[in-house]
Amino acid sequence: MEKGVNINRSWESACIVGYGTHAELKLLPSLKNVGINVDGIISSKPDLRVNGTKIFSKIEDALRFLPKNTLYIISSPPDIHYQQAKILVDAGKDIFIEKPAFTSLSDLNDIVNVAEKNDSLVVEMLMYLESLAVKKIIKILKEKKKYLRNIHLQFFIPSIPKNSFRDESTLGCSLLSDMGCYPLSLLTHIGYDLSKLGLVCNKDNQTEFIRFCIEGLYNHTSINIQIGISNDYKNKITIKFEDNHEITCEPFFYGRDGERKFIESRNDLIKEEIVFEKNAYELMFSRSRSDWMKIHKNKLDKLKYVTETMIGLGEQVGYK
């Protein structure tokens, strides 16, 4: 670890590791909007040009050139997260990693151990947790846990983007891990036992779409999770209580600014509320390093739990 690094520092610059459409359209603008200069991009594209930003082909070159307290943001395919993260935490750097951060417990534990030794920050980027709507739902789920009858989570996209790493060849390249980490992380935040969950199907027999159904029963609450490909986009949570009280929110697992719709129904009464959200990417990047460190251990514990559960679900499908 480099000497003289202040634990309470925030970052004077950032470097994006892996530069695809997501990094270009979401990460880069959000970093700039909160005042963090993107001084470096690490990319395998030899012709890449980004105004005002140095392009590197290797992480080691960026480490030599960029400021010491640069934040590194790993936006590459999950199957190479570990090798990139290892170089960075060995050098004592803070890293934010796109979800799913890791699909191997041994890789995750190694990164955590080195990060603790070198005082590095390791954050899996689950932007949806920054939204007011999600915080409201988590509060409801915690406060009314003993009255919950069912939690139903649906997250469908109409297609996989072209040239995507999501080729279903490994757990890291699967829709199960890419989309499933959202509902699993939500359940950890309300204290649910993920070991009660099991995979009940991995294909829509009517359409041949890739679709994963995960179900479980925790105490008296049934949990139903549906993720994958469908004809229409859907991103919704439905909560049902014992007295037929029902709450829905959509879009739920979402990081962009805009509207979130709440619908609350009880008997024949229906109440609709619109919540206006700020850009969750910007909220995440604007939090100071010292504030991240206060929740660091808790976040890593949840990441380990979700990773362990995801590996078990992947084994049911046959991913290695």
Side-chain angles (χ1 to χ4, degrees):
M1 177 180 169
E2 295 166 345
K3 303 298 182 182
V5 174
N6 180 3
I7 189 172
N8 292 314
R9 76 189 189 279
S10 288
W11 306 279
E12 64 185 60
S13 70
C15 178
I16 299 175
V17 184
Y19 195 71
T21 303
H22 176 76
E24 178 185 5
L25 300 182
K26 297 177 183 176
L27 301 182
L28 181 67
S30 297
L31 287 161
K32 289 184 174 180
N33 287 344
V34 300
I36 300 178
N37 295 323
V38 180
D39 289 338
I41 291 174
I42 299 166
S43 174
S44 59
K45 303 171 184 175
D47 298 327
L48 179 65
R49 299 289 183 272
V50 178
N51 187 39
T53 302
K54 179 76 173 176
I55 309 300
F56 303 94
S57 61
K58 296 180 180 179
I59 294 177
E60 293 83 353
D61 294 337
L63 289 171
R64 286 192 292 268
F65 182 86
L66 296 178
K68 290 183 177 180
N69 68 340
T70 295
L71 170 66
Y72 288 81
I73 298 156
I74 298 177
S75 183
S76 52
D79 283 352
I80 58 174
H81 282 179
Y82 170 71
Q83 64 189 69
Q84 294 174 333
K86 186 66 163 65
I87 296 171
L88 292 166
V89 294
D90 276 344
K93 301 302 179 183
D94 292 337
I95 56 174
F96 280 27
I97 312 177
E98 281 288 359
K99 53 76 189 170
F102 303 99
T103 53
S104 160
L105 271 182
S106 60
D107 289 351
L108 172 56
N109 288 330
D110 185 35
I111 294 299
V112 170
N113 290 337
V114 176
E116 289 177 350
K117 177 183 175 182
N118 288 349
D119 193 32
S120 295
L121 181 69
V122 177
V123 174
E124 182 182 46
M125 295 193 290
L126 291 167
M127 276 72 73
Y128 84 98
L129 290 169
E130 304 293 329
S131 80
L132 295 173
V134 170
K135 291 176 181 178
K136 179 177 179 177
I137 288 292
I138 289 175
K139 185 173 185 291
I140 291 171
L141 290 171
K142 285 182 175 180
E143 290 179 349
K144 299 185 177 182
K145 184 182 292 188
K146 64 180 180 180
Y147 304 111
L148 286 174
R149 189 175 70 197
N150 175 259
I151 301 172
H152 189 197
L153 294 148
Q154 295 172 292
F155 191 8
F156 296 125
I157 56 176
S159 62
I160 299 173
K162 292 182 179 180
N163 302 317
S164 170
F165 64 84
R166 303 172 188 87
D167 62 6
E168 298 296 318
S169 60
T170 65
L171 178 59
C173 295
S174 71
L175 286 176
L176 177 63
S177 65
D178 186 51
M179 302 177 76
C181 60
Y182 286 114
L184 295 186
S185 67
L186 175 71
L187 293 175
T188 66
H189 278 80
I190 57 175
Y192 273 52
D193 184 353
L194 301 185
S195 70
K196 304 295 184 182
L197 298 175
L199 192 75
V200 295
C201 69
N202 64 345
K203 189 171 66 173
D204 184 336
N205 292 325
Q206 300 298 318
T207 64
E208 297 300 312
F209 283 150
I210 300 170
R211 183 174 293 182
F212 299 98
C213 304
I214 302 166
E215 295 183 353
L217 183 67
Y218 181 65
N219 291 333
H220 55 278
T221 304
S222 63
I223 299 167
N224 308 94
I225 300 169
Q226 296 176 312
I227 54 176
I229 307 294
S230 186
N231 287 319
D232 301 308
Y233 177 82
K234 183 171 285 190
N235 186 347
K236 181 179 180 180
I237 182 171
T238 302
I239 308 166
K240 295 182 180 180
F241 299 90
E242 292 177 348
D243 61 354
N244 293 322
H245 179 201
E246 181 175 310
I247 298 173
T248 66
C249 176
E250 61 181 322
F252 189 69
F253 300 117
Y254 205 65
R256 300 180 187 178
D257 53 350
E259 295 183 356
R260 308 292 187 271
K261 181 189 291 185
F262 278 89
I263 298 178
E264 187 170 355
S265 62
R266 190 194 303 268
N267 299 324
D268 295 329
L269 298 176
I270 298 176
K271 176 183 176 183
E272 183 173 313
E273 178 186 2
I274 301 296
V275 175
F276 293 90
E277 297 283 3
K278 295 181 179 179
N279 185 304
Y281 299 86
E282 294 178 14
L283 293 173
M284 181 184 65
F285 290 134
S286 63
R287 183 179 294 131
S288 69
R289 184 183 193 272
S290 58
D291 284 344
W292 275 113
M293 289 301 289
K294 293 174 185 176
I295 58 176
H296 192 213
K297 185 181 184 304
N298 181 267
K299 290 284 188 181
L300 290 178
D301 287 343
K302 286 181 169 57
L303 175 56
K304 289 180 181 179
Y305 195 18
V306 169
T307 302
E308 181 180 21
T309 303
M310 186 62 69
I311 292 169
L313 294 172
E315 288 174 349
Q316 293 182 48
V317 180
Y319 292 125
K320 297 181 179 179

